[in-house]
Amino acid sequence: MVFTPDDLLKLLLALVAGGLIGAEREFRDKSAGFRTMILITLGAALFTMLSHRLAPNSDPNRIAANIVTGIGFLGAGAILRDGPRITGLTTAATIWLAAAVGMSIGGGYWLLALATTLAAVLVLVVFPLIERWIDGLRHTHAYVVHCALDPDIYTELDRLFSASGVKVYARRRTKADGSMVCTWSTVGRPRCHEALVTQLMAHPAVKELDV
């Protein structure tokens, strides 16, 4: 097998593309960072190049299909549960995308790989700003209120939530030491949450409030 300048160019492009994608992950101190993304892109490019040479008379898609399957296991390792939150989904998706970029370069689709790399960098660098702006419009809070064991109080507090402008998507009531513990899971604008907290803090029936 002859190593050609075209092979060298493909590997260098894979290194650069993986480095551009991985730099953002490294800057944010993610589990799969700079070196990991480079190795994924290089490996995917090399496997794709070899798929056309090791068995020139057979279907080269077999190796490509196995790259997609194998990279899925690697990406799954980046997904973790942190209490009620799931973390690592963006890193896992980035791993999957880096492999696709490497396959594009290995297959000779350089412009497609370049466009995808630039799109990935745009999504990873610029879109978080838009995401934070969207998150700033709607906040999710769980309100835990301790009050007397009286259904009328619960009804009154529930009306207060309904009139506050926040959306209640879950309610729960429990009894604890002769008192009632009510939980409202809500989503809404920050100013609505602030006004609601002020009203709950001033309400005479509220013994304890946890937000």
Side-chain angles (χ1 to χ4, degrees):
M1 184 181 298
V2 179
F3 184 74
T4 66
D6 184 64
D7 296 332
L8 178 61
L9 180 59
K10 287 180 178 180
L11 293 177
L12 289 175
L13 287 174
L15 188 150
V16 172
L20 289 173
I21 296 172
E24 187 276 340
R25 296 285 86 189
E26 187 72 28
F27 178 77
R28 297 184 186 276
D29 198 25
K30 299 300 180 180
S31 55
F34 186 67
R35 292 179 299 172
T36 303
M37 293 300 173
I38 290 176
L39 291 175
I40 290 170
T41 311
L42 276 173
L46 181 59
F47 272 123
T48 305
M49 292 160 60
L50 291 174
S51 68
H52 294 279
R53 299 186 185 184
L54 294 177
N57 297 322
S58 64
D59 184 10
N61 294 327
R62 290 185 301 171
I63 292 180
N66 281 286
I67 295 174
V68 175
T69 302
I71 208 66
F73 286 100
L74 186 60
I79 301 175
L80 301 172
R81 177 180 290 276
D82 183 15
R85 297 175 61 249
I86 302 296
T87 62
L89 289 173
T90 301
T91 300
T94 307
I95 290 172
W96 176 68
L97 182 69
V101 170
M103 292 174 65
S104 298
I105 294 172
Y109 299 98
W110 299 345
L111 291 179
L112 178 61
L114 175 61
T116 304
T117 301
L118 294 177
V121 172
L122 176 68
V123 169
L124 292 171
V125 175
V126 178
F127 280 30
L129 302 176
I130 303 174
E131 193 175 46
R132 283 196 290 271
W133 175 73
I134 295 173
D135 290 340
L137 298 178
R138 292 168 62 86
H139 286 178
T140 301
H141 289 302
Y143 292 82
V144 181
V145 177
H146 295 253
C147 58
L149 190 58
D150 186 345
D152 292 336
I153 294 177
Y154 173 78
T155 302
E156 183 181 348
L157 292 176
D158 196 51
R159 289 199 190 101
L160 188 64
F161 275 88
S162 299
S164 66
V166 301
K167 180 180 179 181
V168 178
Y169 60 87
R171 297 173 174 85
R172 186 165 62 91
R173 284 184 288 177
T174 58
K175 178 181 177 181
D177 298 328
S179 298
M180 183 166 55
V181 181
C182 310
T183 304
W184 286 269
S185 298
T186 66
V187 60
R189 294 180 178 274
R191 59 180 177 82
C192 295
H193 284 293
E194 292 172 5
L196 179 58
V197 169
T198 301
Q199 294 178 53
L200 290 173
M201 293 287 285
H203 200 287
V206 176
K207 298 179 181 179
E208 184 179 337
L209 173 64
D210 183 19
V211 181

